[in-house]
Amino acid sequence: MKRLVTLVVLLAALTVCVQAQSLKFGVKGGLDLVNMSFNEKVFDTSNKAGWFVGPTLQLNLIGGLGADIAAFYDQKTAEVNTETIKMKSVLVPLNVRYKFGLGKTVGLYVAAGPQFAFNVGDSEYKWTDKEFYENTFQLKKSNFSINLGAGVYLTKHLEVGFAYNIAMGKTADVEKYNNYEMRSFIDDTKTKSWQISAAYFF
């Protein structure tokens, strides 16, 4: 069902792009800071950085109102109980944006919209920690999140911005197993990240 919804959204976005009067194609990339949270205090986590890059389309509709769609290759790492988890995904954000002009080619913008992520790396990690607990970290095949962002455009070609990405569902299922006491702790995690990016439009 998620894939069907994603396909419908992408087709609608492409239709709008074809009909748009002002369409710009560019390349966008940046860095993100990952924060993983668990329902229970079973696992210790630490923030890690990641990066993303890919093509982006931006269109202007009426006045300062517009939209953008992109396809990014994204790679994030996070440390869970001293074990490094590497998350590789294809991200498809679709944002509505509004520009506030400060001149002919300089101004501010705000943006918000959904983002779809599809896992293209390893999906499962297992390890035994120093206390002989067996840990399992199972990434979801896809997930849905919301982007909230803002930034500046400095010329017709260059744009710099930041965004906060909020996961709306589980990023992974996590299980911690105690071999001695025969107890299992099951938890789920959500990933949130700050993104800093730069885009160049041709």
Side-chain angles (χ1 to χ4, degrees):
M1 184 64 182
K2 283 186 177 180
R3 292 184 179 181
L4 179 60
V5 173
T6 303
L7 182 60
V8 171
V9 170
L10 292 178
L11 289 176
L14 289 175
T15 301
V16 173
C17 288
V18 170
Q19 297 176 349
Q21 295 295 320
S22 179
L23 179 66
K24 296 195 296 183
F25 172 78
V27 177
K28 187 174 183 178
L31 302 175
D32 47 19
L33 179 65
V34 184
N35 178 31
M36 300 183 69
S37 61
F38 296 92
N39 288 339
E40 304 292 339
K41 300 298 182 180
V42 177
F43 290 87
D44 295 323
T45 61
S46 61
N47 293 338
K48 288 289 183 177
W51 56 272
F52 62 94
V53 66
T56 182
L57 285 173
Q58 186 181 118
L59 58 104
N60 295 320
L61 298 174
I62 301 173
L65 184 65
D68 64 66
I69 186 172
F72 300 132
Y73 172 76
D74 179 87
Q75 185 168 302
K76 300 183 180 75
T77 58
E79 198 168 274
V80 181
N81 281 21
T82 71
E83 188 74 14
T84 299
I85 304 297
K86 185 174 289 187
M87 296 170 281
K88 300 178 181 180
S89 307
V90 172
L91 306 181
V92 183
L94 176 59
N95 296 313
V96 175
R97 55 166 51 215
Y98 191 83
K99 289 183 176 181
F100 304 89
L102 302 178
K104 290 184 178 180
T105 58
V106 179
L108 308 175
Y109 74 87
V110 291
Q115 177 173 283
F116 304 91
F118 304 94
N119 182 30
V120 294
D122 294 335
S123 60
E124 184 177 79
Y125 295 84
K126 288 189 174 183
W127 70 95
T128 302
D129 60 28
K130 62 182 180 180
E131 297 176 342
F132 300 101
Y133 287 93
E134 184 179 280
N135 304 277
T136 301
F137 192 96
Q138 180 75 47
L139 286 167
K140 295 293 184 180
K141 293 181 180 179
S142 63
N143 58 70
F144 174 76
S145 58
I146 297 294
N147 281 324
L148 302 172
V152 297
Y153 56 96
L154 304 174
T155 66
K156 291 182 179 180
H157 303 286
L158 183 62
E159 192 173 273
V160 178
F162 67 91
Y164 185 55
N165 182 260
I166 308 167
M168 303 306 292
K170 294 192 296 184
T171 303
D173 291 318
V174 187
E175 183 173 347
K176 187 181 182 76
Y177 182 73
N178 186 325
N179 290 315
Y180 290 108
E181 299 178 12
M182 302 300 290
R183 290 190 302 165
S184 178
F185 304 92
I186 300 177
D187 202 356
D188 59 76
T189 179
K190 291 185 178 180
T191 302
K192 300 176 183 178
S193 63
W194 282 100
Q195 297 178 334
I196 302 173
S197 64
Y200 184 85
F201 294 94
F202 302 100

PDB file of all heavy atoms in Angstrom, residues 48-82:
ATOM      1  N   LYS A  48      25.203  10.512  15.414  1.00  0.00           N
ATOM      2  CA  LYS A  48      26.211  10.342  14.380  1.00  0.00           C
ATOM      3  C   LYS A  48      25.834  11.180  13.171  1.00  0.00           C
ATOM      4  O   LYS A  48      24.675  11.550  12.985  1.00  0.00           O
ATOM      5  CB  LYS A  48      26.317   8.869  13.960  1.00  0.00           C
ATOM      6  CG  LYS A  48      26.967   7.974  15.018  1.00  0.00           C
ATOM      7  CD  LYS A  48      28.454   8.250  15.143  1.00  0.00           C
ATOM      8  CE  LYS A  48      29.106   7.318  16.144  1.00  0.00           C
ATOM      9  NZ  LYS A  48      30.557   7.519  16.243  1.00  0.00           N
ATOM     10  N   ALA A  49      26.811  11.455  12.328  1.00  0.00           N
ATOM     11  CA  ALA A  49      26.573  12.256  11.134  1.00  0.00           C
ATOM     12  C   ALA A  49      26.331  11.363   9.929  1.00  0.00           C
ATOM     13  O   ALA A  49      26.688  10.192   9.908  1.00  0.00           O
ATOM     14  CB  ALA A  49      27.757  13.180  10.879  1.00  0.00           C
ATOM     15  N   GLY A  50      25.697  11.937   8.917  1.00  0.00           N
ATOM     16  CA  GLY A  50      25.482  11.250   7.659  1.00  0.00           C
ATOM     17  C   GLY A  50      25.573  12.248   6.517  1.00  0.00           C
ATOM     18  O   GLY A  50      25.832  13.436   6.730  1.00  0.00           O
ATOM     19  N   TRP A  51      25.334  11.775   5.312  1.00  0.00           N
ATOM     20  CA  TRP A  51      25.384  12.654   4.153  1.00  0.00           C
ATOM     21  C   TRP A  51      24.398  12.170   3.097  1.00  0.00           C
ATOM     22  O   TRP A  51      23.951  11.016   3.134  1.00  0.00           O
ATOM     23  CB  TRP A  51      26.791  12.734   3.559  1.00  0.00           C
ATOM     24  CG  TRP A  51      27.367  11.398   3.170  1.00  0.00           C
ATOM     25  CD1 TRP A  51      28.084  10.547   3.970  1.00  0.00           C
ATOM     26  CD2 TRP A  51      27.254  10.745   1.903  1.00  0.00           C
ATOM     27  NE1 TRP A  51      28.422   9.412   3.284  1.00  0.00           N
ATOM     28  CE2 TRP A  51      27.927   9.506   2.011  1.00  0.00           C
ATOM     29  CE3 TRP A  51      26.647  11.078   0.693  1.00  0.00           C
ATOM     30  CZ2 TRP A  51      28.012   8.612   0.945  1.00  0.00           C
ATOM     31  CZ3 TRP A  51      26.728  10.188  -0.374  1.00  0.00           C
ATOM     32  CH2 TRP A  51      27.416   8.978  -0.234  1.00  0.00           C
ATOM     33  N   PHE A  52      24.046  13.058   2.160  1.00  0.00           N
ATOM     34  CA  PHE A  52      23.122  12.710   1.085  1.00  0.00           C
ATOM     35  C   PHE A  52      23.440  13.546  -0.149  1.00  0.00           C
ATOM     36  O   PHE A  52      23.983  14.644  -0.057  1.00  0.00           O
ATOM     37  CB  PHE A  52      21.667  12.925   1.514  1.00  0.00           C
ATOM     38  CG  PHE A  52      21.330  14.341   1.863  1.00  0.00           C
ATOM     39  CD1 PHE A  52      20.784  15.198   0.929  1.00  0.00           C
ATOM     40  CD2 PHE A  52      21.559  14.831   3.145  1.00  0.00           C
ATOM     41  CE1 PHE A  52      20.474  16.514   1.254  1.00  0.00           C
ATOM     42  CE2 PHE A  52      21.249  16.134   3.491  1.00  0.00           C
ATOM     43  CZ  PHE A  52      20.705  16.986   2.540  1.00  0.00           C
ATOM     44  N   VAL A  53      23.084  13.027  -1.335  1.00  0.00           N
ATOM     45  CA  VAL A  53      23.320  13.734  -2.587  1.00  0.00           C
ATOM     46  C   VAL A  53      22.391  13.161  -3.653  1.00  0.00           C
ATOM     47  O   VAL A  53      22.033  11.983  -3.609  1.00  0.00           O
ATOM     48  CB  VAL A  53      24.802  13.611  -3.026  1.00  0.00           C
ATOM     49  CG1 VAL A  53      25.163  12.163  -3.374  1.00  0.00           C
ATOM     50  CG2 VAL A  53      25.107  14.544  -4.185  1.00  0.00           C
ATOM     51  N   GLY A  54      21.990  14.024  -4.606  1.00  0.00           N
ATOM     52  CA  GLY A  54      21.143  13.544  -5.688  1.00  0.00           C
ATOM     53  C   GLY A  54      20.519  14.673  -6.479  1.00  0.00           C
ATOM     54  O   GLY A  54      20.663  15.856  -6.138  1.00  0.00           O
ATOM     55  N   PRO A  55      19.790  14.334  -7.542  1.00  0.00           N
ATOM     56  CA  PRO A  55      19.143  15.335  -8.389  1.00  0.00           C
ATOM     57  C   PRO A  55      17.883  15.893  -7.741  1.00  0.00           C
ATOM     58  O   PRO A  55      17.220  15.219  -6.943  1.00  0.00           O
ATOM     59  CB  PRO A  55      18.794  14.549  -9.658  1.00  0.00           C
ATOM     60  CG  PRO A  55      18.602  13.142  -9.170  1.00  0.00           C
ATOM     61  CD  PRO A  55      19.602  12.965  -8.056  1.00  0.00           C
ATOM     62  N   THR A  56      17.538  17.115  -8.097  1.00  0.00           N
ATOM     63  CA  THR A  56      16.342  17.759  -7.564  1.00  0.00           C
ATOM     64  C   THR A  56      15.672  18.607  -8.639  1.00  0.00           C
ATOM     65  O   THR A  56      16.350  19.172  -9.512  1.00  0.00           O
ATOM     66  CB  THR A  56      16.685  18.627  -6.336  1.00  0.00           C
ATOM     67  OG1 THR A  56      15.498  19.198  -5.804  1.00  0.00           O
ATOM     68  CG2 THR A  56      17.663  19.728  -6.685  1.00  0.00           C
ATOM     69  N   LEU A  57      14.357  18.677  -8.589  1.00  0.00           N
ATOM     70  CA  LEU A  57      13.565  19.519  -9.482  1.00  0.00           C
ATOM     71  C   LEU A  57      12.815  20.540  -8.643  1.00  0.00           C
ATOM     72  O   LEU A  57      12.236  20.198  -7.610  1.00  0.00           O
ATOM     73  CB  LEU A  57      12.558  18.685 -10.266  1.00  0.00           C
ATOM     74  CG  LEU A  57      13.080  17.835 -11.422  1.00  0.00           C
ATOM     75  CD1 LEU A  57      11.957  16.949 -11.953  1.00  0.00           C
ATOM     76  CD2 LEU A  57      13.641  18.707 -12.538  1.00  0.00           C
ATOM     77  N   GLN A  58      12.806  21.776  -9.102  1.00  0.00           N
ATOM     78  CA  GLN A  58      12.102  22.839  -8.389  1.00  0.00           C
ATOM     79  C   GLN A  58      11.223  23.588  -9.379  1.00  0.00           C
ATOM     80  O   GLN A  58      11.647  23.892 -10.495  1.00  0.00           O
ATOM     81  CB  GLN A  58      13.105  23.796  -7.746  1.00  0.00           C
ATOM     82  CG  GLN A  58      12.480  24.855  -6.867  1.00  0.00           C
ATOM     83  CD  GLN A  58      13.537  25.777  -6.292  1.00  0.00           C
ATOM     84  OE1 GLN A  58      13.539  26.969  -6.562  1.00  0.00           O
ATOM     85  NE2 GLN A  58      14.436  25.236  -5.505  1.00  0.00           N
ATOM     86  N   LEU A  59       9.981  23.865  -8.979  1.00  0.00           N
ATOM     87  CA  LEU A  59       9.092  24.596  -9.862  1.00  0.00           C
ATOM     88  C   LEU A  59       8.389  25.730  -9.126  1.00  0.00           C
ATOM     89  O   LEU A  59       8.089  25.614  -7.935  1.00  0.00           O
ATOM     90  CB  LEU A  59       8.055  23.661 -10.478  1.00  0.00           C
ATOM     91  CG  LEU A  59       7.152  22.879  -9.529  1.00  0.00           C
ATOM     92  CD1 LEU A  59       5.769  23.515  -9.504  1.00  0.00           C
ATOM     93  CD2 LEU A  59       7.051  21.433  -9.956  1.00  0.00           C
ATOM     94  N   ASN A  60       8.177  26.824  -9.841  1.00  0.00           N
ATOM     95  CA  ASN A  60       7.447  27.973  -9.306  1.00  0.00           C
ATOM     96  C   ASN A  60       6.031  27.950  -9.871  1.00  0.00           C
ATOM     97  O   ASN A  60       5.838  27.751 -11.075  1.00  0.00           O
ATOM     98  CB  ASN A  60       8.145  29.281  -9.700  1.00  0.00           C
ATOM     99  CG  ASN A  60       9.522  29.388  -9.073  1.00  0.00           C
ATOM    100  OD1 ASN A  60       9.711  29.016  -7.920  1.00  0.00           O
ATOM    101  ND2 ASN A  60      10.480  29.884  -9.842  1.00  0.00           N
ATOM    102  N   LEU A  61       5.047  28.157  -9.005  1.00  0.00           N
ATOM    103  CA  LEU A  61       3.656  28.107  -9.424  1.00  0.00           C
ATOM    104  C   LEU A  61       3.072  29.506  -9.533  1.00  0.00           C
ATOM    105  O   LEU A  61       3.079  30.112 -10.588  1.00  0.00           O
ATOM    106  CB  LEU A  61       2.848  27.246  -8.440  1.00  0.00           C
ATOM    107  CG  LEU A  61       3.301  25.779  -8.349  1.00  0.00           C
ATOM    108  CD1 LEU A  61       2.553  25.047  -7.261  1.00  0.00           C
ATOM    109  CD2 LEU A  61       3.125  25.089  -9.692  1.00  0.00           C
ATOM    110  N   ILE A  62       2.587  30.073  -8.426  1.00  0.00           N
ATOM    111  CA  ILE A  62       1.992  31.408  -8.427  1.00  0.00           C
ATOM    112  C   ILE A  62       2.700  32.265  -7.390  1.00  0.00           C
ATOM    113  O   ILE A  62       2.787  31.875  -6.217  1.00  0.00           O
ATOM    114  CB  ILE A  62       0.491  31.339  -8.095  1.00  0.00           C
ATOM    115  CG1 ILE A  62      -0.232  30.454  -9.116  1.00  0.00           C
ATOM    116  CG2 ILE A  62      -0.129  32.725  -8.081  1.00  0.00           C
ATOM    117  CD1 ILE A  62      -1.679  30.200  -8.777  1.00  0.00           C
ATOM    118  N   GLY A  63       3.206  33.420  -7.807  1.00  0.00           N
ATOM    119  CA  GLY A  63       3.912  34.294  -6.874  1.00  0.00           C
ATOM    120  C   GLY A  63       5.128  33.591  -6.299  1.00  0.00           C
ATOM    121  O   GLY A  63       5.957  33.056  -7.008  1.00  0.00           O
ATOM    122  N   GLY A  64       5.226  33.558  -4.966  1.00  0.00           N
ATOM    123  CA  GLY A  64       6.344  32.879  -4.325  1.00  0.00           C
ATOM    124  C   GLY A  64       6.079  31.423  -4.027  1.00  0.00           C
ATOM    125  O   GLY A  64       6.946  30.722  -3.494  1.00  0.00           O
ATOM    126  N   LEU A  65       4.885  30.941  -4.344  1.00  0.00           N
ATOM    127  CA  LEU A  65       4.523  29.553  -4.053  1.00  0.00           C
ATOM    128  C   LEU A  65       5.136  28.604  -5.072  1.00  0.00           C
ATOM    129  O   LEU A  65       5.119  28.859  -6.280  1.00  0.00           O
ATOM    130  CB  LEU A  65       3.005  29.397  -4.051  1.00  0.00           C
ATOM    131  CG  LEU A  65       2.450  28.024  -3.659  1.00  0.00           C
ATOM    132  CD1 LEU A  65       2.796  27.702  -2.200  1.00  0.00           C
ATOM    133  CD2 LEU A  65       0.949  27.984  -3.882  1.00  0.00           C
ATOM    134  N   GLY A  66       5.670  27.487  -4.578  1.00  0.00           N
ATOM    135  CA  GLY A  66       6.286  26.506  -5.465  1.00  0.00           C
ATOM    136  C   GLY A  66       6.367  25.146  -4.818  1.00  0.00           C
ATOM    137  O   GLY A  66       5.751  24.888  -3.774  1.00  0.00           O
ATOM    138  N   ALA A  67       7.129  24.251  -5.420  1.00  0.00           N
ATOM    139  CA  ALA A  67       7.293  22.891  -4.911  1.00  0.00           C
ATOM    140  C   ALA A  67       8.625  22.348  -5.383  1.00  0.00           C
ATOM    141  O   ALA A  67       9.239  22.875  -6.330  1.00  0.00           O
ATOM    142  CB  ALA A  67       6.147  22.001  -5.380  1.00  0.00           C
ATOM    143  N   ASP A  68       9.083  21.316  -4.728  1.00  0.00           N
ATOM    144  CA  ASP A  68      10.294  20.635  -5.181  1.00  0.00           C
ATOM    145  C   ASP A  68      10.178  19.139  -4.905  1.00  0.00           C
ATOM    146  O   ASP A  68       9.487  18.708  -3.988  1.00  0.00           O
ATOM    147  CB  ASP A  68      11.555  21.220  -4.532  1.00  0.00           C
ATOM    148  CG  ASP A  68      11.600  21.027  -3.030  1.00  0.00           C
ATOM    149  OD1 ASP A  68      11.698  19.874  -2.580  1.00  0.00           O
ATOM    150  OD2 ASP A  68      11.540  22.029  -2.294  1.00  0.00           O
ATOM    151  N   ILE A  69      10.849  18.371  -5.728  1.00  0.00           N
ATOM    152  CA  ILE A  69      10.924  16.925  -5.556  1.00  0.00           C
ATOM    153  C   ILE A  69      12.349  16.501  -5.855  1.00  0.00           C
ATOM    154  O   ILE A  69      13.034  17.111  -6.689  1.00  0.00           O
ATOM    155  CB  ILE A  69       9.916  16.192  -6.479  1.00  0.00           C
ATOM    156  CG1 ILE A  69       9.902  14.693  -6.178  1.00  0.00           C
ATOM    157  CG2 ILE A  69      10.207  16.464  -7.943  1.00  0.00           C
ATOM    158  CD1 ILE A  69       8.806  13.931  -6.894  1.00  0.00           C
ATOM    159  N   ALA A  70      12.827  15.480  -5.154  1.00  0.00           N
ATOM    160  CA  ALA A  70      14.218  15.054  -5.318  1.00  0.00           C
ATOM    161  C   ALA A  70      14.328  13.547  -5.114  1.00  0.00           C
ATOM    162  O   ALA A  70      13.392  12.888  -4.636  1.00  0.00           O
ATOM    163  CB  ALA A  70      15.122  15.793  -4.333  1.00  0.00           C
ATOM    164  N   ALA A  71      15.473  13.006  -5.487  1.00  0.00           N
ATOM    165  CA  ALA A  71      15.803  11.600  -5.237  1.00  0.00           C
ATOM    166  C   ALA A  71      17.239  11.559  -4.739  1.00  0.00           C
ATOM    167  O   ALA A  71      18.170  11.772  -5.518  1.00  0.00           O
ATOM    168  CB  ALA A  71      15.635  10.763  -6.504  1.00  0.00           C
ATOM    169  N   PHE A  72      17.430  11.318  -3.451  1.00  0.00           N
ATOM    170  CA  PHE A  72      18.758  11.353  -2.837  1.00  0.00           C
ATOM    171  C   PHE A  72      19.234   9.960  -2.448  1.00  0.00           C
ATOM    172  O   PHE A  72      18.442   9.135  -1.979  1.00  0.00           O
ATOM    173  CB  PHE A  72      18.752  12.209  -1.559  1.00  0.00           C
ATOM    174  CG  PHE A  72      18.358  13.636  -1.766  1.00  0.00           C
ATOM    175  CD1 PHE A  72      17.405  14.225  -0.944  1.00  0.00           C
ATOM    176  CD2 PHE A  72      18.925  14.395  -2.765  1.00  0.00           C
ATOM    177  CE1 PHE A  72      17.035  15.546  -1.121  1.00  0.00           C
ATOM    178  CE2 PHE A  72      18.563  15.718  -2.955  1.00  0.00           C
ATOM    179  CZ  PHE A  72      17.618  16.294  -2.124  1.00  0.00           C
ATOM    180  N   TYR A  73      20.526   9.737  -2.627  1.00  0.00           N
ATOM    181  CA  TYR A  73      21.165   8.600  -1.967  1.00  0.00           C
ATOM    182  C   TYR A  73      21.621   9.115  -0.612  1.00  0.00           C
ATOM    183  O   TYR A  73      22.328  10.123  -0.517  1.00  0.00           O
ATOM    184  CB  TYR A  73      22.357   8.075  -2.747  1.00  0.00           C
ATOM    185  CG  TYR A  73      23.128   7.023  -1.979  1.00  0.00           C
ATOM    186  CD1 TYR A  73      22.639   5.723  -1.866  1.00  0.00           C
ATOM    187  CD2 TYR A  73      24.314   7.348  -1.318  1.00  0.00           C
ATOM    188  CE1 TYR A  73      23.322   4.758  -1.139  1.00  0.00           C
ATOM    189  CE2 TYR A  73      25.001   6.388  -0.589  1.00  0.00           C
ATOM    190  CZ  TYR A  73      24.505   5.105  -0.502  1.00  0.00           C
ATOM    191  OH  TYR A  73      25.178   4.163   0.225  1.00  0.00           O
ATOM    192  N   ASP A  74      21.203   8.432   0.454  1.00  0.00           N
ATOM    193  CA  ASP A  74      21.474   8.895   1.813  1.00  0.00           C
ATOM    194  C   ASP A  74      22.180   7.799   2.604  1.00  0.00           C
ATOM    195  O   ASP A  74      21.804   6.622   2.525  1.00  0.00           O
ATOM    196  CB  ASP A  74      20.152   9.260   2.495  1.00  0.00           C
ATOM    197  CG  ASP A  74      20.352   9.720   3.926  1.00  0.00           C
ATOM    198  OD1 ASP A  74      20.600  10.919   4.128  1.00  0.00           O
ATOM    199  OD2 ASP A  74      20.250   8.880   4.834  1.00  0.00           O
ATOM    200  N   GLN A  75      23.194   8.193   3.345  1.00  0.00           N
ATOM    201  CA  GLN A  75      23.915   7.236   4.193  1.00  0.00           C
ATOM    202  C   GLN A  75      24.094   7.822   5.586  1.00  0.00           C
ATOM    203  O   GLN A  75      24.669   8.894   5.742  1.00  0.00           O
ATOM    204  CB  GLN A  75      25.267   6.896   3.581  1.00  0.00           C
ATOM    205  CG  GLN A  75      26.024   5.819   4.344  1.00  0.00           C
ATOM    206  CD  GLN A  75      27.231   5.292   3.574  1.00  0.00           C
ATOM    207  OE1 GLN A  75      27.103   4.804   2.463  1.00  0.00           O
ATOM    208  NE2 GLN A  75      28.405   5.426   4.155  1.00  0.00           N
ATOM    209  N   LYS A  76      23.561   7.129   6.574  1.00  0.00           N
ATOM    210  CA  LYS A  76      23.655   7.572   7.961  1.00  0.00           C
ATOM    211  C   LYS A  76      24.293   6.472   8.792  1.00  0.00           C
ATOM    212  O   LYS A  76      24.160   5.286   8.489  1.00  0.00           O
ATOM    213  CB  LYS A  76      22.273   7.873   8.552  1.00  0.00           C
ATOM    214  CG  LYS A  76      21.459   8.934   7.867  1.00  0.00           C
ATOM    215  CD  LYS A  76      20.148   9.145   8.620  1.00  0.00           C
ATOM    216  CE  LYS A  76      19.277  10.208   7.981  1.00  0.00           C
ATOM    217  NZ  LYS A  76      18.626   9.702   6.760  1.00  0.00           N
ATOM    218  N   THR A  77      24.969   6.866   9.879  1.00  0.00           N
ATOM    219  CA  THR A  77      25.478   5.900  10.843  1.00  0.00           C
ATOM    220  C   THR A  77      25.033   6.314  12.240  1.00  0.00           C
ATOM    221  O   THR A  77      24.885   7.493  12.531  1.00  0.00           O
ATOM    222  CB  THR A  77      27.015   5.804  10.811  1.00  0.00           C
ATOM    223  OG1 THR A  77      27.574   7.087  11.068  1.00  0.00           O
ATOM    224  CG2 THR A  77      27.508   5.281   9.476  1.00  0.00           C
ATOM    225  N   ALA A  78      24.799   5.334  13.068  1.00  0.00           N
ATOM    226  CA  ALA A  78      24.457   5.578  14.463  1.00  0.00           C
ATOM    227  C   ALA A  78      25.115   4.507  15.310  1.00  0.00           C
ATOM    228  O   ALA A  78      25.318   3.376  14.861  1.00  0.00           O
ATOM    229  CB  ALA A  78      22.946   5.560  14.658  1.00  0.00           C
ATOM    230  N   GLU A  79      25.469   4.851  16.534  1.00  0.00           N
ATOM    231  CA  GLU A  79      26.117   3.909  17.435  1.00  0.00           C
ATOM    232  C   GLU A  79      25.105   3.435  18.472  1.00  0.00           C
ATOM    233  O   GLU A  79      24.541   4.234  19.219  1.00  0.00           O
ATOM    234  CB  GLU A  79      27.311   4.572  18.127  1.00  0.00           C
ATOM    235  CG  GLU A  79      28.280   3.565  18.728  1.00  0.00           C
ATOM    236  CD  GLU A  79      29.580   4.226  19.148  1.00  0.00           C
ATOM    237  OE1 GLU A  79      30.488   4.358  18.303  1.00  0.00           O
ATOM    238  OE2 GLU A  79      29.669   4.609  20.322  1.00  0.00           O
ATOM    239  N   VAL A  80      24.845   2.135  18.500  1.00  0.00           N
ATOM    240  CA  VAL A  80      23.913   1.529  19.444  1.00  0.00           C
ATOM    241  C   VAL A  80      24.692   0.529  20.299  1.00  0.00           C
ATOM    242  O   VAL A  80      25.172  -0.482  19.812  1.00  0.00           O
ATOM    243  CB  VAL A  80      22.768   0.802  18.716  1.00  0.00           C
ATOM    244  CG1 VAL A  80      21.788   0.190  19.718  1.00  0.00           C
ATOM    245  CG2 VAL A  80      22.051   1.749  17.774  1.00  0.00           C
ATOM    246  N   ASN A  81      24.827   0.858  21.599  1.00  0.00           N
ATOM    247  CA  ASN A  81      25.621   0.013  22.510  1.00  0.00           C
ATOM    248  C   ASN A  81      27.007  -0.271  21.946  1.00  0.00           C
ATOM    249  O   ASN A  81      27.470  -1.417  21.900  1.00  0.00           O
ATOM    250  CB  ASN A  81      24.886  -1.301  22.786  1.00  0.00           C
ATOM    251  CG  ASN A  81      23.777  -1.122  23.806  1.00  0.00           C
ATOM    252  OD1 ASN A  81      23.290  -0.020  24.021  1.00  0.00           O
ATOM    253  ND2 ASN A  81      23.375  -2.200  24.435  1.00  0.00           N
ATOM    254  N   THR A  82      27.674   0.769  21.460  1.00  0.00           N
ATOM    255  CA  THR A  82      29.025   0.752  20.881  1.00  0.00           C
ATOM    256  C   THR A  82      29.089   0.030  19.535  1.00  0.00           C
ATOM    257  O   THR A  82      30.168  -0.077  18.953  1.00  0.00           O
ATOM    258  CB  THR A  82      30.071   0.111  21.836  1.00  0.00           C
ATOM    259  OG1 THR A  82      29.835  -1.303  21.923  1.00  0.00           O
ATOM    260  CG2 THR A  82      29.998   0.735  23.225  1.00  0.00           C
TER     261      THR A  82
END
